[in-house]
Amino acid sequence: MSTTLTPSPIDSPVAAVAARPASHRSRRRRRAGGSGGLAAVIIAAPGVLVFLVFAWIPIGRAVMMAFQETNFVADPAWVGWSNFSYVLADPLLWTALRNTAWFTVLTLALGIPLPLFLAVYMAELRRRRGWFTVLAYIPTVIPPVAAILLWRTFLDPSATGTFNEIAGWFGAGPFLWLNSPEWAMPIIALYATWAGAGSTVIIYLAGIAGVRAELYEAAELDGASIWQRVWHVTLPQMRGIILVIVLLQLIGAMQLFTEPFVFTGGGPNNATVTVLMLIYRYAFEQSDYGSATALSVLLALLLAVVSAVYALVTRKAASS
């Protein structure tokens, strides 16, 4: 009769480790956690230092400058809330706020559904999807000033202007385009949508690619059309991405500067003056850096409040 020797639990390496005192294991975990935490601090320290030097210190100096009168030559003088009072009493501020709000509404109305429609259309293509993706992204890689100057040529208000010639094919025009207070801001919003739609389309395409294929297969088995699949499958699955895109476009639209500055210089009749253009005028046309920084601080606070309210509203909508 043969007997089989079975190792006792303490002879097993795993059991031996498990049999060690709990205090010994906890001390090892604490040492590992401590060294890992120190390594994380060492790795993160350079990035935090750079961010502190190039972000938070300038922000702190800007906030301080908002309460001073300075021209960067003489010593600054403390003026308290005078810069804020001057800015808030400027009638052009409310014109700039109204123009900025109008541009924001226009870009959200155009810049959210149009790229989403293009992304859905390109996602359904079976062939040459890459070519359409390249064509959609080309406006993004064109330098903004060069693209704006090209559009200004197309928007020549004379009858021989490119857009007016196209309108003439349909018996319309010629239009004043950028020389019209009513048309100037919508044209700028149309250009901004054209220039920024490519990157948004790429993001939407990545989001659509991440939707599980079995959801589309189930919808097709139920006889859903393409738009029903988009409405009931694509949009709910991409809700987080769409909410982030809306927030980014909202913040970007409220910081509009380059387009009206190059297109119209704020005209005609201040129809395209924005908050950032007003900051530019304070600083570089009037050399009133205190008022410029005061308005910058007010704009930053406005953006912070808008972002917080948006996050609160969307979080409640997502949880309901």
Side-chain angles (χ1 to χ4, degrees):
M1 181 178 64
S2 62
T3 60
T4 303
L5 295 178
T6 303
S8 62
I10 200 65
D11 294 332
S12 171
V14 177
V17 173
R20 290 178 182 175
S23 60
H24 178 72
R25 295 198 303 270
S26 63
R27 283 197 300 271
R28 289 192 60 184
R29 282 196 297 268
R30 284 197 297 270
R31 286 199 299 269
S35 61
L38 180 60
V41 171
I42 293 174
I43 293 173
V48 173
L49 182 61
V50 170
F51 189 76
L52 175 68
V53 171
F54 292 100
W56 286 108
I57 291 179
I59 290 174
R61 294 188 62 184
V63 172
M64 184 178 298
M65 193 186 301
F67 297 92
Q68 296 174 340
E69 181 180 353
T70 180
N71 58 5
F72 295 116
V73 178
D75 293 334
W78 187 266
V79 295
W81 296 96
S82 298
N83 292 327
F84 292 93
S85 300
Y86 173 76
V87 167
L88 293 174
D90 188 353
L92 192 56
L93 172 63
W94 310 108
T95 301
L97 284 172
R98 184 172 60 251
N99 293 338
T100 304
W102 177 227
F103 174 81
T104 302
V105 170
L106 290 172
T107 51
L108 290 179
L110 295 173
I112 298 301
L114 182 60
L116 183 59
F117 171 80
L118 292 175
V120 171
Y121 175 77
M122 287 190 287
E124 292 293 325
L125 294 177
R126 297 293 182 262
R127 299 175 57 189
R128 299 180 179 177
R129 183 187 304 178
W131 288 104
F132 283 95
T133 304
V134 170
L135 290 175
Y137 198 71
I138 282 178
T140 306
V141 301
I142 299 176
V145 175
I148 291 172
L149 293 177
L150 184 63
W151 271 62
R152 283 185 59 180
T153 303
F154 294 157
L155 291 165
D156 187 345
S158 65
T160 57
T162 303
F163 286 177
N164 275 332
E165 283 191 354
I166 295 174
W169 298 345
F170 303 95
F175 299 102
L176 295 177
W177 302 120
L178 296 173
N179 293 335
S180 168
E182 292 77 18
W183 279 97
M185 190 58 82
I187 290 297
I188 292 176
L190 181 63
Y191 163 80
T193 302
W194 171 84
S199 56
T200 309
V201 167
I202 299 299
I203 296 173
Y204 284 150
L205 282 173
I208 293 174
V211 179
R212 291 180 298 171
E214 56 265 25
L215 296 177
Y216 290 115
E217 293 172 358
E220 289 180 2
L221 291 176
D222 290 339
S225 64
I226 179 173
W227 295 115
Q228 289 175 329
R229 296 198 301 270
V230 169
W231 184 259
H232 295 287
V233 178
T234 305
L235 294 182
Q237 294 295 313
M238 294 180 56
R239 179 168 53 185
I241 297 175
I242 294 173
L243 292 178
V244 171
I245 291 294
V246 171
L247 178 60
L248 294 177
Q249 289 202 3
L250 179 64
I251 295 174
M254 295 181 69
Q255 299 181 75
L256 175 69
F257 175 76
T258 304
E259 289 82 357
F261 182 77
V262 180
F263 264 125
T264 62
N269 297 328
N270 294 322
T272 57
V273 171
T274 62
V275 176
L276 252 65
M277 285 196 66
L278 192 57
I279 294 173
Y280 175 87
R281 290 183 177 183
Y282 285 151
F284 300 106
E285 294 181 5
Q286 304 175 19
S287 297
D288 189 354
Y289 299 102
S291 298
T293 52
L295 184 53
S296 301
V297 170
L298 291 176
L299 178 61
L301 292 175
L302 176 62
L303 290 175
V305 171
V306 170
S307 300
V309 171
Y310 179 85
L312 181 63
V313 171
T314 53
R315 185 179 305 168
K316 288 184 176 180
S319 59
S320 61

